[in-house]
Amino acid sequence: MSNNEKNSSTSIPTNYGALGTLVTVFFFWGFIAAGNSIFIPFCKHYFHLDQFQSQLIDFAFYTAYYIGALGLFAYGSFGGKDLVGKWGYKKSIVYGLLFSAIGAAAMIIAVNANTFAGMLVGLFIVALGFSLQQTAAQPFAISLGDPTTGTSRVNLGGGINSFGTTIGPIVVALALFGTTAAVTDKQIAALSLSKVIVLYTCVGGLFVAAAALFQFAKKVPSGIMEEGTEKANKALYMLIIMTGLLIIMFAPVFNSYKVDLSKASEADKLAMNAYRLKWLMGAFAIVVIGLFFANRSAANNSEGWGAMKYPQLVLGMLAIFVYVGVEVAIGSNLGELLKNSEFGGKQASEAAPYISMYWGSLMIGRWTGAVSAFSFSKITKIALQIIVPLLAFGVIIGVNTTAGYNMTELYYYIICVCLQIGAFFFSGDKPAKTLMVFGLLGVVAMIIGTQTTGTIGTYALLSGGLCCSIMWPCIFNLSIAGLGKYTTQGSAFLIMMILGGGIIPPIQGKLADVTGIQQSYWVAVACFGYLTFFAIAVKGILKKQGINFDEAQTVGGH
């Protein structure tokens, strides 16, 4: 990068007015997601579902992201014009919010009709809207200022999103049950349909209100991209084939759950779990092989591959797939792990504070990473990078104490927070280095978690949230760097890979049935290992394209 290029990069001011409006949408995603913490157990009780059937709610949600982003790409591939680029970032977010409002209306209709399948359809529509919103919002945040500080702006949005997730359950519990105390299974089972209807009526109203806020905010630019997009038929056909193969892999898994194992022998149960695990691993293999095939083919002949001709994007797609998968898998399996006597033999209500701290750890890291989004002096920035994570930790302790949980056993988790603060200073606001450092910390933490028990093992696994916290913006920013007119197409590809949240957690869950819950966390070790590899590889890839991302980040960060 030349000196002139460096100077020009530092001359782009951040549009704080537009950024302030945009982060309210990030908050909104987190707050609305809190409704599922009530909705999932409610459906399980009300419709007499087993554990797998209740997981269909998450499956519908993550699948919608994949289908929605695939649809956006297909439109651009056939029409020669990126739909998000045509509408602009602003209108795309508005339309996505309104589409989610339609999904909330469908949920209300399904509740009235007393049909679980209808609820899944409604949730699928809500998530389709989220898919459009996130495809536009991530590159939009990066575009609202110096591209070298784009990671910090996405971190700011993620931190606000996590704050919404943190306070959401308390607000929802207060609205539905008239209390901020921890909600019991008995309370959820007794919840009337009328209150669920009220909940999703309010959710739909919030979707519309957020759309209006964004539409009429004068400081928010349109974000329209006039450049046309070259057709990417090879990429489209590969993704369609991959989708078909994924359906083939998922079908036996779903059909196998029709088998009643309640009276089966342990040997039969193990055989069935191994059968399910085989097909889930097949689905994972299809994603990996498909992406590496695209990477290799585009390297030989880039024509027809669109954004996939950029190796940083293809490797980043797998990184997003793995990242979302490991983030969800660690949290989803914590409750089962903590039931073991080696980890305290905690019941659901006793495990809740630990699970809350895991998800709160994401907020701690994102709040810290967001400090660089603002033009503070060097001394102020250093002070805030120490104060903000400690403050966030205090917020999590306070919120959960208010909710009626005993947090005393988690006070010493502040040691892990302090280690994260040190990692931030060592990383120096450089996205590739930051991702590498936190990936390595994730590998170490998960290995400790698989080899130890008690407080040390528990803290090690909880700290996976601290390691995951800043990965999304680092991966996203590094993956779309240098894509130019393919930026929104690349963003759609990355959003598509949120599908990892629907594949990797079931793989770990099934592996736990075979090897035990603690040893199943070797899945997380492998995931963090790949993320570390991506951080190292993408730095070299970008340098070959004339993009020294770490150098640019240092110049533009102050």
Side-chain angles (χ1 to χ4, degrees):
M1 177 178 285
S2 68
N3 290 330
N4 289 336
E5 288 174 321
K6 291 180 186 178
N7 292 333
S8 64
S9 71
T10 60
S11 65
I12 304 174
T14 298
N15 185 338
Y16 288 111
L19 183 61
T21 304
L22 180 61
V23 296
T24 61
V25 181
F26 278 81
F27 173 85
F28 188 67
W29 296 333
F31 184 83
I32 295 303
N36 281 349
S37 66
I38 301 296
F39 181 63
I40 292 174
F42 164 74
C43 286
K44 187 174 181 179
H45 281 286
Y46 189 83
F47 293 103
H48 307 291
L49 307 176
D50 60 27
Q51 187 59 28
F52 170 74
Q53 289 170 323
S54 69
Q55 290 176 353
L56 288 176
I57 293 172
D58 278 337
F59 184 79
F61 186 82
Y62 288 114
T63 302
Y65 271 100
Y66 179 84
I67 297 298
L70 179 60
L72 287 174
F73 168 58
Y75 177 91
S77 183
F78 285 123
K81 186 70 176 179
D82 192 305
L83 188 59
V84 172
K86 177 182 177 181
W87 285 342
Y89 295 137
K90 180 176 180 178
K91 282 189 176 180
S92 295
I93 292 173
V94 171
Y95 293 157
L97 286 164
L98 294 177
F99 201 81
S100 293
I102 295 174
M107 292 283 287
I108 294 170
I109 295 172
V111 171
N112 275 316
N114 199 26
T115 166
F116 178 62
M119 290 182 179
L120 291 179
V121 171
L123 186 63
F124 183 85
I125 296 172
V126 169
L128 280 177
F130 279 7
S131 176
L132 176 56
Q133 294 165 48
Q134 292 218 26
T135 299
Q138 311 295 333
F140 196 17
I142 294 171
S143 73
L144 292 176
D146 192 328
T148 63
T149 56
T151 298
S152 299
R153 287 188 292 279
V154 178
N155 252 329
L156 175 63
I160 298 297
N161 175 273
S162 294
F163 181 63
T165 303
T166 300
I167 69 170
I170 293 178
V171 175
V172 171
L174 182 62
L176 293 181
F177 304 104
T179 178
T180 58
V183 178
T184 65
D185 289 345
K186 187 176 181 180
Q187 286 175 300
I188 292 172
L191 184 64
S192 67
L193 288 179
S194 62
K195 287 192 175 182
V196 178
I197 291 172
V198 170
L199 171 65
Y200 280 96
T201 300
C202 292
V203 166
L206 286 173
F207 282 133
V208 174
L213 172 66
F214 219 81
Q215 175 64 32
F216 297 110
K218 295 181 180 179
K219 293 183 179 180
V220 179
S222 64
I224 294 175
M225 296 182 66
E226 299 293 345
E227 290 183 290
T229 301
E230 296 177 15
K231 291 186 176 181
N233 291 334
K234 290 180 181 177
L236 178 61
Y237 297 150
M238 188 277 290
L239 288 170
I240 290 174
I241 292 172
M242 190 171 80
T243 302
L245 291 174
L246 285 173
I247 292 172
I248 292 173
M249 291 294 167
F250 281 130
V253 178
F254 288 116
N255 287 334
S256 71
Y257 277 91
K258 296 177 182 178
V259 180
D260 184 6
L261 295 177
S262 59
K263 298 180 181 179
S265 65
E266 287 301 316
D268 287 339
K269 289 179 181 179
L270 285 173
M272 181 57 72
N273 284 325
Y275 172 78
R276 294 165 179 166
L277 181 60
K278 176 182 69 176
W279 289 102
L280 287 169
M281 289 298 295
F284 177 76
I286 285 170
V287 173
V288 174
I289 293 171
L291 291 178
F292 277 102
F293 169 78
N295 186 31
R296 178 65 62 181
S297 298
N300 295 329
N301 182 6
S302 65
E303 185 179 353
W305 285 103
M308 282 193 181
K309 67 184 178 183
Y310 293 93
Q312 65 265 36
L313 176 70
V314 176
L315 294 178
M317 288 171 68
L318 183 56
I320 287 289
F321 180 90
V322 166
Y323 156 72
V324 176
V326 71
E327 177 189 288
V328 176
I330 293 173
S332 296
N333 289 284
L334 270 178
E336 188 66 25
L337 177 82
L338 293 171
K339 290 180 182 178
N340 288 358
S341 58
E342 296 89 349
F343 287 87
K346 297 175 177 64
Q347 299 301 312
S349 59
E350 296 172 316
Y354 292 84
I355 296 172
S356 175
M357 182 57 74
Y358 170 74
W359 293 109
S361 294
L362 296 168
M363 184 181 80
I364 293 171
R366 288 166 181 170
W367 279 22
T368 309
V371 170
S372 296
F374 301 94
S375 301
F376 296 121
S377 67
K378 185 175 182 180
I379 294 177
T380 302
K381 179 181 175 182
I382 290 173
L384 287 174
Q385 286 182 326
I386 296 173
I387 295 170
V388 167
L390 299 178
L391 175 64
F393 176 73
V395 169
I396 297 164
I397 293 291
V399 166
N400 283 278
T401 300
T402 301
Y405 294 121
N406 181 2
M407 301 296 288
T408 54
E409 293 184 11
L410 287 164
Y411 287 164
Y412 289 106
Y413 185 69
I414 197 171
I415 296 172
C416 296
V417 177
C418 290
L419 289 174
Q420 186 197 48
I421 293 172
F424 265 110
F425 281 113
F426 180 75
S427 300
D429 283 343
K430 300 175 181 180
K433 185 176 181 181
T434 299
L435 183 60
M436 181 190 70
V437 169
F438 280 81
L440 285 172
L441 287 175
V443 170
V444 173
M446 295 302 105
I447 291 177
I448 292 173
T450 62
Q451 302 303 307
T452 62
T453 57
T455 301
I456 293 176
T458 302
Y459 279 15
L461 295 175
L462 289 179
S463 68
L466 296 172
C467 298
C468 287
S469 61
I470 48 74
M471 287 185 167
W472 173 279
C474 289
I475 298 168
F476 213 99
N477 215 9
L478 291 166
S479 299
I480 66 173
L483 264 60
K485 64 183 179 180
Y486 295 103
T487 298
T488 54
Q489 185 184 98
S491 177
F493 285 155
L494 292 170
I495 296 299
M496 195 182 301
M497 290 296 102
I498 291 177
L499 177 69
I503 293 180
I504 291 179
I507 288 177
Q508 181 174 345
K510 294 306 163 194
L511 186 62
D513 291 330
V514 177
T515 66
I517 186 65
Q518 185 179 9
Q519 296 309 310
S520 73
Y521 276 87
W522 280 102
V523 171
V525 174
C527 290
F528 281 121
Y530 174 77
L531 292 168
T532 304
F533 161 78
F534 171 73
I536 296 170
V538 75
K539 184 177 179 179
I541 291 170
L542 292 177
K543 274 190 175 182
K544 289 181 180 179
Q545 298 175 12
I547 305 171
N548 191 334
F549 223 93
D550 278 355
E551 180 182 353
Q553 185 75 3
T554 302
V555 172
H558 302 287

